[in-house]
Amino acid sequence: MSTPGPDSPSLPEPGFTPRAPAVSLPQPAQPPANGGALLRLAAAGLAVLVLAGTSLLIGVSDVPWDALLAPAEHPRAVQVLIISRVPRTLSLMLAGMSLAVAGLIMQMLARNRFVEPFTAGTAESASLGLLAVTLLAPGLPILARTAVAAGFAMAGTALFLLILRRIPLRSALVVPVVGLVLGAIFDAATTFFAYRFSLLQSLMAWTTGDFSSVLRGRYELLWGAFVLTVVAYVVADRFTVAGLGEAFTTNLGLSHPRIVALGLSIVAMVTAVVVATVGMIPFIGLVVPNVVSLIVGDNARRSIPWVAVLGAGFVLLCDIVGRVVRQPYEIPVGTVAGVVGSLAFLHLLLRRNGRVG
Amino acid sequence: MSPPPRRLPPLLAALVGVAVIALAVFGWRASRAPAEAPVPRGAAPAAPAPGAGRTVAHAQGSTVVTEHPAQVVVFDLAALDTLDALGVDVQGVAGEYFPGQLAKYGDAKRYPRFGTLFEPDYEALHAARPDLVITGGRSSARYAKLAALVPTIDQTTDDAHFLDTVVGNTQRLATVFGKEEQARALVEAMHRSIARLKGTTAHRGKGLIVLTSGGRMSAYGPGSRFGVLHDAFGIPPAAPGLKASLHGEAIGSEFILETNPDWLFVIDRDAAIGEGGGAQRLLDNEMVHQTAAWKQGQVVYLEPANTYLIGGGIQSVRRLMEQLSDVYARPRQPVAP
């Protein structure tokens, strides 16, 4: 695990004794320094709400802002809001939230800052699963498709963690490299079959993160990702502990494999749901948790709300940019996130320079 | 000091094993392909004597082609479509997927394969030495490399002058193969149909062309690869601001709602390449339901393989026109359920 952030007082002391069975770490330590942090979180939440409001008002159809206040006078605008804008905004926030939290969990499980579903083969194996469904059982309903993708994602991620365990001396940079290599292998397999069946372009279309087809009735699966995010928050302390290592976890009387399996399932299902409904949004799971770690440190209980809020904000912002730049046409959010995310990531890398990992 | 030899971890060993098998299989396939591929020829290949050919100007320059080439390999479905209409027999083709009326070329025994549209099998071509290779569209990027090997002409259509190039391409092939008579008839018939179609489209409302692929949509306007609907067939564009670009402009359903076309022309790319296709499911939504096109039952799914894959063949243009004539002749339907 990397160095804790500047104000992270709540990592457990080595002599910490747990109250079995649940571990609850930080509560008593927090109140003194925390009023400010809560305020900052509220401010960030407010900023995301402003972005959400902007997202409601931006689009091809004209939706004046006072349609929100006096719906009766703008029947058409309200219709557009209900059918298109609200679902889109909600799905952006849900996807952003859950992907960012999934990134955080992966970083804790792999004990490495540079891991996220898109650098550890999770997303690639999910999309291999989607391709397999498309080729073998094209008529399957979306829920079953997602389930298959989640299965593939879980297997791919498990393989990643398995390989990590076999690497004796792992430096901080080897971990993401292993993930990228594994992801590239899955990607190669996917590309190969897509090529053989002339599906390359379709593959591109469905893996590029894009919310342009989100409408009422077409995004609701993302609420499942939200539920998983809530579950992640409920069991957050376990991930914090798991992030401190297997020996430490076992010392506390917790089953490390079980925590890993739980985290893995959450990450795989979230990734599969997002990839199946809107496609891949790179970097969010990487950049957001790292930024949050700089702000509030590495305690999952404290950082998950931050990660969720900033994740939602990041995706909202990218999609708003993608919708505005070429109005009335769109630039897929995956493309915008790739550009913005890579810049942010470079910035983080240079900032952390020398203390990688 | 050398470390003791270690056994490969089982996982790695399995991966290596799979890789070796895969390489062996595809290596075998690749090495087998050219043996099947060469065009059967009676005489030994001989370069055409100087003066024995004619110079043919085409989309990427000009090429000296023998009089009445006997061995022809085609890397373009549109050219194949036109040759089929002219009654010219070809000896080799490229690609795997031959839709609809080109299905007969799917018989690999009768028509040996020379790679794909994007990746010609240069070895096989070198061995077969055909008299003429025809590229176009998807294979036009390989023109230079092919032309260095065998006489090649490029039949790429120009989206901005689509119909002119379709006619030009047809006449070029007719000249090469001595089928001027047939070409004249085909082109005249096409112009007659266009005149008829134009008479019916101009006053029946505006149209929007949308291509769907993998659950996403993009819109195409005049001058684009499907712009012939506006440019030549006289359908007024519902979104005149659409610039011509190869992959269209990414849009959402809100764009269709705001554009409110009277006709929605849909090209289902996934269906075109024979992989299910979900255009109907994608467009059957609350936003599109509010458009004039949906309410009047004027959402038209263009025959996908014909439109998307074949495009600029003279028969394919005729079939597109026939489909449009049919839907424009249909009485206007009341609101769809």
Side-chain angles (χ1 to χ4, degrees):
Chain A
M1 195 84 173
S2 68
T3 48
D7 56 349
S8 165
S10 43
L11 285 179
E13 303 296 20
F16 175 78
T17 26
R19 281 163 305 197
V23 232
S24 58
L25 296 172
Q27 283 89 341
Q30 278 183 4
N34 224 20
L38 211 62
L39 209 66
R40 280 189 292 169
L41 183 61
L46 204 67
V48 170
L49 283 184
V50 170
L51 282 176
T54 314
S55 162
L56 287 180
L57 299 180
I58 282 182
V60 187
S61 301
D62 194 25
V63 175
W65 65 272
D66 53 330
L68 299 172
L69 301 178
E73 291 162 37
H74 304 275
R76 183 177 164 98
V78 168
Q79 207 178 11
V80 170
L81 270 174
I82 293 173
I83 300 173
S84 159
R85 300 288 170 80
V86 171
R88 182 158 189 164
T89 305
L90 280 176
S91 65
L92 285 164
M93 294 173 74
L94 294 174
M97 235 176 236
S98 50
L99 273 187
V101 172
L104 177 77
I105 297 173
M106 284 211 78
Q107 290 177 13
M108 295 192 142
L109 295 185
R111 305 185 67 197
N112 187 286
R113 277 261 172 264
F114 300 104
V115 167
E116 65 141 348
F118 297 90
T119 59
T122 309
E124 287 82 359
S125 44
S127 92
L128 180 63
L130 283 178
L131 182 80
V133 174
T134 307
L135 288 176
L136 302 176
L140 233 48
I142 177 92
L143 203 63
R145 282 168 61 94
T146 312
V148 175
F152 271 73
M154 216 165 330
T157 317
L159 184 62
F160 170 66
L161 292 180
L162 206 71
I163 295 174
L164 279 194
R165 289 177 140 227
R166 296 276 176 115
I167 297 175
L169 289 171
R170 51 183 226 210
S171 85
L173 287 174
V174 165
V175 175
V177 166
V178 167
L180 289 171
V181 168
L182 190 65
I185 292 173
F186 291 136
D187 202 36
T190 311
T191 310
F192 173 75
F193 287 110
Y195 176 77
R196 293 296 290 179
F197 295 95
S198 336
L199 276 173
L200 273 183
Q201 254 174 289
S202 314
L203 182 74
M204 260 243 324
W206 89 59
T207 52
T208 307
D210 182 357
F211 288 77
S212 64
S213 58
V214 169
L215 291 173
R216 177 166 70 178
R218 300 207 171 161
Y219 79 101
E220 281 74 3
L221 212 55
L222 285 173
W223 284 107
F226 178 71
V227 170
L228 291 166
T229 308
V230 172
V231 171
Y233 181 67
V234 171
V235 297
D237 296 326
R238 288 162 193 261
F239 294 132
T240 309
V241 173
L244 296 170
E246 182 164 6
F248 189 88
T249 312
T250 315
N251 252 347
L252 294 182
L254 289 168
S255 159
H256 189 262
R258 232 186 261 172
I259 299 177
V260 171
L262 175 66
L264 212 69
S265 316
I266 292 178
V267 170
M269 283 192 275
V270 163
T271 310
V273 165
V274 174
V275 171
T277 25
V278 294
M280 298 188 180
I281 311 167
F283 282 113
I284 171 170
L286 201 59
V287 169
V288 173
N290 275 293
V291 168
V292 169
S293 142
L294 292 176
I295 302 175
V296 299
D298 287 334
N299 180 317
R301 170 81 60 206
R302 282 178 70 191
S303 55
I304 283 182
W306 274 97
V307 170
V309 167
L310 293 191
F314 180 78
V315 177
L316 269 172
L317 189 69
C318 289
D319 192 58
I320 290 174
V321 170
R323 273 187 278 170
V324 168
V325 171
R326 293 205 45 141
Q327 231 177 351
Y329 318 119
E330 300 198 5
I331 295 174
V333 73
T335 311
V336 180
V339 173
V340 176
S342 54
L343 290 178
F345 184 55
L346 274 179
H347 178 72
L348 279 177
L349 273 183
L350 296 176
R351 209 191 125 102
R352 300 172 64 92
N353 85 68
R355 324 189 274 129
V356 172
Chain B
M1 289 298 281
S2 66
R6 284 186 55 185
R7 274 180 53 236
L8 278 179
L11 180 73
L12 192 60
L15 280 177
V16 169
V18 169
V20 168
I21 293 168
L23 278 177
V25 168
F26 290 103
W28 173 71
R29 281 187 56 116
S31 66
R32 203 175 55 129
E36 284 184 350
V39 173
R41 285 179 65 106
R54 83 176 89 221
T55 307
V56 179
H58 54 84
Q60 296 198 45
S62 59
T63 304
V64 178
V65 180
T66 40
E67 297 275 353
H68 304 295
Q71 306 292 334
V72 185
V73 177
V74 182
F75 284 86
D76 181 33
L77 290 178
L80 206 55
D81 181 71
T82 301
L83 288 171
D84 194 50
L86 291 172
V88 174
D89 202 21
V90 308
Q91 281 66 47
V93 291
E96 296 286 337
Y97 187 56
F98 296 88
Q101 60 297 323
L102 299 179
K104 69 172 183 183
Y105 297 100
D107 177 4
K109 288 205 183 74
R110 170 82 184 73
Y111 299 97
R113 298 292 140 76
F114 288 83
T116 69
L117 298 180
F118 298 99
E119 286 171 41
D121 185 343
Y122 299 104
E123 295 289 337
L125 278 171
H126 184 76
R129 289 265 160 206
D131 300 323
L132 179 64
V133 164
I134 301 172
T135 61
R138 293 168 179 83
S139 64
S140 62
R142 302 284 171 266
Y143 168 80
K145 215 167 159 188
L146 288 165
L149 202 65
V150 280
T152 306
I153 60 173
D154 186 57
Q155 293 278 87
T156 302
T157 47
D158 176 3
D159 290 334
H161 310 96
F162 181 75
L163 221 50
D164 292 343
T165 38
V166 169
V167 170
N169 285 347
T170 306
Q171 286 165 344
R172 182 179 309 118
L173 292 180
T175 315
V176 168
F177 294 99
K179 301 278 187 182
E180 286 89 344
E181 213 41 52
Q182 290 90 326
R184 199 169 304 123
L186 286 167
V187 170
E188 270 169 19
M190 189 183 80
H191 282 306
R192 276 198 303 276
S193 313
I194 289 177
R196 264 202 309 278
L197 183 58
K198 255 185 162 166
T200 61
T201 55
H203 310 291
R204 294 281 304 278
K206 298 173 174 178
L208 177 68
I209 308 165
V210 169
L211 177 121
T212 69
S213 175
R216 316 275 194 247
M217 297 186 279
S218 43
Y220 290 78
S224 71
R225 70 193 277 197
F226 308 115
V228 63
L229 269 70
H230 301 307
D231 304 331
F233 302 160
I235 299 166
L242 275 168
K243 298 237 166 41
S245 70
L246 177 61
H247 292 292
E249 294 283 2
I251 56 158
S253 292
E254 241 179 72
F255 181 85
I256 300 179
L257 171 75
E258 278 310 301
T259 309
N260 192 23
D262 302 294
W263 297 87
L264 188 57
F265 300 102
V266 186
I267 299 149
D268 187 342
R269 191 189 166 277
D270 301 324
I273 57 172
E275 296 294 338
Q280 272 94 341
R281 213 172 31 214
L282 190 63
L283 289 166
D284 185 1
N285 69 54
E286 294 172 274
M287 295 261 122
V288 175
H289 288 180
Q290 296 176 43
T291 61
W294 185 275
K295 288 178 179 162
Q296 295 167 14
Q298 296 188 154
V299 177
V300 180
Y301 296 90
L302 298 178
E303 206 287 288
N306 185 48
T307 320
Y308 180 81
L309 291 177
I310 308 175
I314 190 119
Q315 297 186 90
S316 125
V317 173
R318 204 197 66 225
R319 279 188 302 269
L320 176 59
M321 271 190 295
E322 280 169 2
Q323 190 184 0
L324 289 172
S325 302
D326 282 353
V327 296
Y328 273 90
R330 239 184 271 151
R332 219 170 269 223
Q333 290 172 7
V335 179

